[in-house]
């Protein structure tokens, strides 16, 4: 309970006890303060004593009006329209365009075919290869044999002017080329996966009265290989890739005689296999030596 007001001074007299032989007693003036009770001032004084920094204060609304525009009266934002879209067509779009729509599963099965998974095709080796051919060539029984390609024999494989047996380029690059050493790739003109085109040579000037001779083709040479066929036997030929057509062929002296003994006809499907033995040493002893590259051509059964 607080008291705040003006003060009034009321003089009061106090008399000291009488003692013999003393002078006249003194008069003492006392000041008394009278306070009048004010409720509003008391509450303000109590609030100032209990208020601390950071305390929550009650919200007292102001009587002045809020200077704000209601949302309904605000102008709508303009939609961003692509340059190639008609603005009138964009305004006709529903307001819920692009909204998330809950997924409702249907009872009908999905009519979609599953994607086919590419699996590597495993080729079966000829049954007589390991129990007959490898022992005959004095090669070990567990020698790795690689499938190179499969092709249909063409008429050009029997033409004497061509004098070559063409191999599928994709199978040569993917399966045969990794088997070769850098020196063997260089000999077979397979040093690069993509055959570089040779530069064009300028034509020789024409001399009046002199007969122009036909330009000689490039002598490719090739990598010596042993070509094997069950009926034709074994023949040493050459493996090479031509610069002009980027085709890999088997060619060489004695090719026409070899292809006749094979007994192939046009459109016969044949398979080409390759194998070779590499140098191997174990506990200081030579187990096997490098062998030439063997190419086996056999008719598909």
């Amino acid at each position: 309970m607080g008291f705040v007001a003006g003060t009034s001074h009321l003089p009061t007299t106090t008399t000291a006890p009488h003692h013999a032989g003393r002078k006249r007693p003194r008069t003492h003036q006392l000041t008394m303060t009278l306070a009048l009770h004010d409720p509003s001032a008391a509450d303000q004084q109590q609030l100032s004593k209990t208020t601390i920094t950071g305390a929550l204060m009650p919200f007292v609304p102001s009587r002045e009006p809020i200077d704000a525009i209601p949302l309904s009266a605000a102008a709508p934002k303009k939609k961003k329209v692509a340059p190639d879209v008609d603005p009138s067509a964009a305004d006709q779009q529903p307001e819920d365009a692009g909204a998330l729509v809950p997924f409702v599963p249907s009872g009908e099965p999905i009519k979609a075919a599953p994607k086919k998974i590419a699996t590597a095709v495993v080729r079966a080796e000829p049954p007589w290869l390991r129990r007959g051919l490898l022992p005959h060539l004095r090669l070990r029984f567990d020698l790795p044999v690689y499938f190179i390609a499969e092709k249909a024999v063409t008429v050009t494989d029997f033409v004497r002017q061509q004098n070559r047996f063409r191999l599928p380029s994709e199978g040569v690059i993917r399966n045969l080329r990794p088997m070769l050493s850098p020196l063997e790739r260089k000999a077979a003109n397979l040093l690069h996966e993509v055959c570089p085109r040779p530069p064009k040579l300028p034509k020789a000037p024409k001399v009046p009265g002199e007969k122009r001779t036909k330009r000689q083709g490039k002598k490719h040479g090739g990598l010596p290989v042993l070509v094997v066929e069950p009926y034709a036997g074994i023949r040493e030929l050459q493996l090479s890739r031509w610069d002009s057509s980027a085709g890999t062929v088997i060619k060489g002296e004695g090719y026409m005689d070899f292809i006749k003994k094979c007994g192939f006809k046009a459109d016969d499907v044949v398979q080409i296999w390759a194998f070779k033995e590499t140098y191997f040493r174990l506990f200081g002893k030579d187990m096997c030596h490098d062998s030439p590259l063997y190419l086996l051509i056999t008719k598909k059964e």
Side-chain angles (χ1 to χ4, degrees), residues 65-95:
I66 301 174
D67 187 10
I69 302 175
L71 295 177
S72 59
K77 295 182 179 180
K78 295 183 179 181
K79 298 180 180 179
K80 294 183 179 180
V81 183
D84 56 346
V85 178
D86 188 6
S88 60
D91 296 338
Q92 298 177 1
Q93 295 181 356
E95 296 181 357

Side-chain angles (χ1 to χ4, degrees), residues 172-243:
V172 171
I173 298 299
R174 185 178 63 243
N175 301 327
L176 180 58
R177 184 176 176 272
M179 296 178 56
L180 306 179
S181 65
L183 292 178
E184 291 173 335
R185 294 179 185 180
K186 184 177 181 180
N189 197 21
L190 292 172
L191 199 58
H192 306 282
E193 291 188 6
V194 180
C195 182
R197 291 187 176 183
K200 292 184 179 181
L201 300 177
K203 294 182 179 180
K206 186 176 181 181
V207 179
E210 183 179 350
K211 187 178 180 180
R212 179 177 295 180
T213 58
K214 188 177 180 181
R215 182 181 297 176
Q216 296 291 330
K218 178 182 177 181
K219 295 182 178 181
H220 292 274
L223 173 67
V225 294
L226 295 178
V227 185
V228 183
E229 203 280 328
Y231 297 99
I234 303 175
R235 182 65 59 92
E236 181 178 348
L237 298 173
Q238 294 174 337
L239 175 70
S240 179
R241 180 171 64 178
W242 289 344
D243 292 334

